[in-house]
């Protein structure tokens, strides 16, 4: 596998994790109670964030002459089924929805860490794109975690 192919594969993995994130937040919007307008707004914004990242990653794959991935990761599909099963038992409480979102944010962080630790040869521009997206996703992760922690404290 050429260095270029390896980098395309890395980018495609990140496209898939962003697809997972988009689908996960769209599902979270549906699961959130009608009264949780604040969460629906945040979730919509985070799905849009991943659409933007996907666009940037797609452009990078195109620049490299690679074929752009579609679909989601197998893990993302398993996660969404797990969300359905969990919701059956715990309902769609604000805390449960936030816990599910945090789980997805953790997965996105791991995917970006793997991409940066990958042995694919990257230009400084490639590394900067991935690093910057990871940094912004970490901010989103921390926001979700903070909301989850606040909700957990309110429930105690």
């Amino acid at each position: 596998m050429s260095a270029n192919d390896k980098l395309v594969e890395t980018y495609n993995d990140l496209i898939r994790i962003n697809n997972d994130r988009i689908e996960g937040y769209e599902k979270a919007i549906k699961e959130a109670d009608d009264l949780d307008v604040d969460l629906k707004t945040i979730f919509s914004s985070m799905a849009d964030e991943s659409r933007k990242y996907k666009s940037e990653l797609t452009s990078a794959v195109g620049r490299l002459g690679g074929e752009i991935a579609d679909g989601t990761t197998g893990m993302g599909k398993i996660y969404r089924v797990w969300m359905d099963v969990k919701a059956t038992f715990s309902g769609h409480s604000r805390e449960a929805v936030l816990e599910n979102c945090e789980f997805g944010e953790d997965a996105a962080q791991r995917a970006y860490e793997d991409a940066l630790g990958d042995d694919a040869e990257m230009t400084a521009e490639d590394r900067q794109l991935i690093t910057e997206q990871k940094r912004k996703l970490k901010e989103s992760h921390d926001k979700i975690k903070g909301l989850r922690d606040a909700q957990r404290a309110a429930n105690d």
Side-chain angles (χ1 to χ4, degrees):
M1 179 180 286
S2 75
N4 201 42
D5 291 341
K6 185 83 170 139
L7 185 54
V8 166
E9 183 179 299
T10 297
Y11 275 134
N12 278 329
D13 288 344
L14 296 178
I15 288 170
R16 287 185 194 97
I17 200 71
N18 276 285
N19 286 341
D20 285 344
R21 197 167 177 262
I22 292 164
E23 285 191 25
Y25 277 114
E26 287 174 349
K27 185 172 190 60
I29 289 167
K30 292 176 188 162
E31 286 185 3
D33 289 335
D34 290 337
L35 297 176
D36 290 327
V37 175
D38 62 327
L39 289 185
K40 290 182 178 203
T41 300
I42 290 167
F43 297 161
S44 179
S45 173
M46 291 185 177
D48 288 344
E49 177 183 58
S50 273
R51 286 182 188 94
K52 176 182 180 268
Y53 298 158
K54 177 183 172 182
S55 176
E56 292 171 355
L57 296 164
T58 298
S59 293
V61 171
R63 175 179 47 82
L64 294 169
E67 188 165 327
I68 298 162
D70 58 359
T72 59
T73 66
M75 190 63 199
K77 291 173 187 164
I78 292 167
Y79 166 67
R80 285 186 295 282
V81 168
W82 178 79
M83 283 176 67
D84 289 339
V85 170
K86 185 176 177 188
T88 300
F89 296 104
S90 65
H92 298 288
S93 73
R94 185 177 174 99
E95 184 177 346
V97 172
L98 288 165
E99 284 176 355
N100 290 338
C101 291
E102 185 184 10
F103 182 87
E105 291 295 335
D106 288 342
Q109 283 297 302
R110 283 191 302 276
Y112 274 79
E113 286 169 15
D114 289 349
L116 289 169
D118 197 353
D119 61 356
E121 292 179 28
M122 291 183 208
T123 65
E125 178 185 354
D126 293 318
R127 186 163 297 281
Q128 179 61 33
L129 173 64
I130 295 170
T131 300
E132 186 61 19
Q133 286 188 1
K134 181 184 183 307
R135 183 188 66 75
K136 290 177 183 173
L137 285 168
K138 177 72 167 112
E139 290 173 6
S140 295
H141 170 278
D142 293 348
K143 184 173 191 168
I144 292 293
K145 184 179 184 310
L147 289 167
R148 193 268 341 252
D149 289 348
Q151 188 61 48
R152 190 173 281 168
N155 290 345
D156 288 343

